[in-house]
Amino acid sequence: MSQVIFDQISRNSLIRRQSKKDVYRVGNYSVNRYIGEFWTSKQRQSSSIHEVSYRACFKAELPRFFIEWMTKPNDVVYDPFSGRCTTVLEAALLGRKIIANDINPLSRILGEARLRTPNLDKLKERLYKIRNDKSLKPDIDLSMFYHKDTLVEILSLRKYLLNRKRENGLDELDRWIQMVATNRLTGHSKGFFSVYTLPPNQAVSPQSQIRINKKLNQKPEYRNVREIILKKSKSLIRTLTKEQLSSLWTVSRTARFLNCDAQLTGAIKSNSVELTITSPHFLNTIDYYGDNWLRCWFNGIDAKAVANSIKTSKNVEDWNNMMLNVFKELYRVTKNGGWVAFEVGEIRNKTIKMEDLIIPIGNNAGFKSEALLINKQKFTKTANIWGVENNKDGTNSNRIVLFYKQ
Ligand SMILES: C[S@@+](CC[C@H](N)C(=O)[O-])C[C@H]1O[C@@H](n2cnc3c(N)ncnc32)[C@H](O)[C@@H]1O
C-alpha cells in the first residue's frame, strides 16, 4: 500500500475499524479493496435541500463521506457530471467552494437556485404577483397532463420566467421558482402539477400519458401551482440550520456552474481542485429527449438540440476514449495531492465492471489508483437507482475508485 493511502486510511477510523481488506487486480494494476459499511442512510439523515429527483442521482451520504474525509473548509470540490448537484450542494453545506459541470442545462437550473434559499414570505409575494393570463395557449398539446386552469398557471409562470430571463436576468427568487416548478411539473402524487404519471425524473410522452389516463380511468384535476411551489419550498428548506443557510449563501458567491462536455472544461483553472466526486453515465444509458422534453419545454430549452449534443458512447471502446479525455481534464484541474472519487456501476447484467475500465484509464491519465471502496449498506427503498445494486441479501452496494494526483 502506498504511504499516501495508508495515511489517509489511518486517519479514517471508520475504514480502519469496519472494513475487510483484500487486493483487487486489473491487468498490471492492483489496488487495495476495502469492503464495509462506511455510510448508511440511517446513520445521518441527509439534508432536505437534496430532495429534488434526478435520474441516477446518488445519495448525499456518499459525497459527504469523501468531503469530510479528504477536504477542509474552503477547499474546492468539483463534479464534472453533476446531475441534480448532489456533490456540490453537500460540499456547500460543509463550507467548501464548488464547481459543477453537466452537459444537461437543467443541472444548473436544479443546482444553483438551491444555494440561495428564499424567505418564504417574499417567495409567496413574488408568486402571487405573477398574473394568470388566460389567453395563453401552449405550443404543444399538454391536456393529457394538466387541467386547463392548471395549464394557464403553468403557462403564465413560464412566460414570466422566460421574459425575466430575456429582460433583466433572473434574481434568486425567480431562480428558486424556476427550480421548484421544473421539479413539480409531473409526478405520481398530488404534490405535482400533473395528473398521476411516472415519477418526475421519467417524463413520459403525451401518447403514453393518454394510455395511462385510459388505463387508470383518470382525468387531470385542478392543481394550485403556486401553493404546490410554496409547499415544496418549505419542505426543501425544512432541515437547514442557520449555519447551513449561511454557508450555502457564502458559497454561492464563488460557486461555478458550467454547462460543458466534461472532456472540454477549459473554463476551470489548472491545479485548482482538491477533490472531485462524480458518477458518470455509461454507454447509451441516456434517453435525454425522453427524460427531459417537458422540463426543457418549460425552461425554453431545445431538448432535441441538447440530445444531439450528447454523444452517447455506443460501445465500450467509445466510452473508454471519452473517459480518457475526461480523466486528462481531471488530471489537469486537480491540485497536486488532490483526489478523485469515482463511483462505478455494474452494467450489462454484470458482464462489465466499470472499475475494470476506469482503473487503467485513470492511471493512463497520470493519476495513481489508490483504493477501491465498496460500501455495503442495508437495503432502503430509495436507493433503487442506476449504478446501485440491490442485492438479494437486502444490501445496496456502491463502489468507488479513489485516484490520487502526486
Ligand atoms: C449518473 S448522472 C450524475 C448524477 C449525479 N451524481 C447526481 O447525484 O445527481 C450522469 C450525468 O452526466 C451528464 N453527462 C452525460 N454526458 C456528459 C458529458 N459528456 N459531459 C458532461 N456531463 C455529461 C448527464 O447529463 C447526467 O446528468
Side-chain angles (χ1 to χ4, degrees):
M1 180 176 6
S2 86
Q3 187 59 37
V4 178
I5 196 72
F6 179 79
D7 291 346
Q8 284 288 343
I9 300 284
S10 46
R11 271 172 47 201
N12 194 313
S13 56
L14 249 182
I15 295 187
R16 236 178 28 231
R17 271 188 283 118
Q18 287 200 6
S19 63
K20 238 172 49 191
K21 194 182 103 186
D22 60 9
V23 173
Y24 187 74
R25 288 197 170 77
V26 185
N28 294 333
Y29 303 104
S30 55
V31 294
N32 284 312
R33 175 166 64 177
Y34 300 87
I35 305 172
E37 189 168 2
F38 305 122
W39 61 87
T40 71
S41 46
K42 275 190 213 139
Q43 180 189 331
R44 209 190 263 121
Q45 281 293 316
S46 70
S47 169
S48 56
I49 198 71
H50 289 294
E51 291 167 6
V52 162
S53 58
Y54 193 88
R55 195 185 270 281
C57 58
F58 45 47
K59 289 182 158 205
E61 285 83 1
L62 186 158
R64 174 177 281 261
F65 178 79
F66 295 101
I67 295 163
E68 286 184 327
W69 180 18
M70 292 176 153
T71 65
K72 47 188 194 318
N74 289 320
D75 280 356
V76 176
V77 175
Y78 171 47
D79 187 347
F81 299 100
S82 56
R84 67 168 181 170
C85 292
T86 321
T87 291
V88 293
L89 282 169
E90 195 59 28
L93 286 169
L94 295 164
R96 274 55 168 177
K97 294 195 170 123
I98 58 171
I99 307 174
N101 174 67
D102 200 293
I103 204 158
N104 178 2
L106 291 169
S107 174
R108 178 177 196 161
I109 290 174
L110 294 176
E112 193 173 28
R114 282 181 287 157
L115 293 174
R116 299 191 164 202
T117 51
N119 169 293
L120 291 175
D121 293 332
K122 285 197 178 145
L123 180 67
K124 187 168 184 179
E125 200 182 302
R126 174 69 57 87
L127 277 169
Y128 279 93
K129 254 195 196 157
I130 302 166
R131 292 192 178 280
N132 286 337
D133 181 349
K134 289 201 172 157
S135 70
L136 291 173
K137 297 274 173 287
D139 46 356
I140 38 175
D141 181 12
L142 295 172
S143 60
M144 61 297 288
F145 292 102
Y146 305 113
H147 184 276
K148 66 177 182 12
D149 295 337
T150 314
L151 192 51
V152 166
E153 294 181 21
I154 295 171
L155 289 170
S156 305
L157 198 59
R158 177 177 186 264
K159 186 178 165 196
Y160 164 82
L161 289 169
L162 294 178
N163 281 347
R164 288 276 290 184
K165 194 170 159 196
R166 232 185 350 259
E167 287 158 12
N168 313 315
L170 304 179
D171 68 9
E172 59 247 15
L173 283 177
D174 295 331
R175 280 189 210 283
W176 181 272
I177 293 170
Q178 181 188 35
M179 177 274 293
V180 181
T182 300
N183 181 250
R184 296 284 101 185
L185 283 173
T186 53
H188 49 306
S189 78
K190 291 192 173 175
F192 294 93
F193 306 158
S194 71
V195 68
Y196 178 92
T197 180
L198 294 188
N201 56 2
Q202 300 166 41
V204 301
S205 66
Q207 293 74 13
S208 308
Q209 189 58 39
I210 291 171
R211 279 195 295 275
I212 294 175
N213 291 353
K214 250 193 202 149
K215 196 170 161 201
L216 299 178
N217 193 20
Q218 62 174 11
K219 273 208 281 211
E221 289 169 6
Y222 170 67
R223 304 266 202 261
N224 186 322
V225 164
R226 290 173 183 78
E227 288 306 313
I228 288 175
I229 293 176
L230 283 170
K231 194 168 170 206
K232 178 65 182 173
S233 301
K234 213 167 153 184
S235 167
L236 274 171
I237 60 179
R238 73 184 186 279
T239 68
L240 292 177
T241 61
K242 264 195 189 152
E243 290 71 29
Q244 287 176 324
L245 282 168
S246 114
S247 181
L248 292 178
W249 272 84
T250 307
V251 174
S252 78
R253 294 189 192 109
T254 54
R256 299 190 63 196
F257 290 85
L258 309 177
N259 179 208
C260 305
D261 185 326
Q263 302 172 85
L264 301 164
T265 53
I268 305 175
K269 271 209 273 181
S270 301
N271 304 310
S272 61
V273 171
E274 265 88 8
L275 171 64
T276 292
I277 308 163
T278 199
S279 141
H281 63 287
F282 192 70
L283 293 182
N284 41 3
T285 45
I286 313 175
D287 173 12
Y288 185 84
Y289 185 80
D291 279 355
N292 296 303
W293 68 272
L294 191 54
R295 281 175 288 183
C296 283
W297 166 82
F298 180 75
N299 289 292
I301 296 168
D302 181 347
K304 285 210 170 111
V306 180
N308 288 338
S309 77
I310 301 179
K311 295 171 213 69
T312 49
S313 325
K314 296 202 170 44
N315 52 48
V316 172
E317 204 188 336
D318 254 22
W319 190 85
N320 281 349
N321 288 338
M322 182 211 167
M323 280 302 151
L324 181 59
N325 291 335
V326 172
F327 264 88
K328 284 181 181 165
E329 268 303 85
L330 288 176
Y331 190 76
R332 181 184 67 77
V333 303
T334 303
K335 281 187 179 169
N336 294 340
W339 293 87
V340 173
F342 203 88
E343 198 212 2
V344 292
E346 210 153 14
I347 324 287
R348 283 197 182 158
N349 301 328
K350 304 191 179 176
T351 53
I352 302 174
K353 283 194 160 176
M354 223 198 269
E355 56 266 49
D356 293 354
L357 307 179
I358 223 67
I359 288 175
I361 288 173
N363 283 283
N364 285 340
F367 286 102
K368 191 161 182 321
S369 49
E370 289 283 0
L372 171 62
L373 246 61
I374 302 187
N375 187 60
K376 286 220 177 245
Q377 65 180 104
K378 299 235 157 53
F379 175 75
T380 54
K381 211 172 103 199
T382 52
N384 185 5
I385 54 172
W386 182 90
V388 174
E389 184 190 347
N390 289 334
N391 293 327
K392 288 204 182 74
D393 63 356
T395 59
N396 297 315
S397 70
N398 297 90
R399 304 195 312 287
I400 290 93
V401 184
L402 278 177
F403 294 96
Y404 181 68
K405 179 173 173 180
Q406 268 153 350

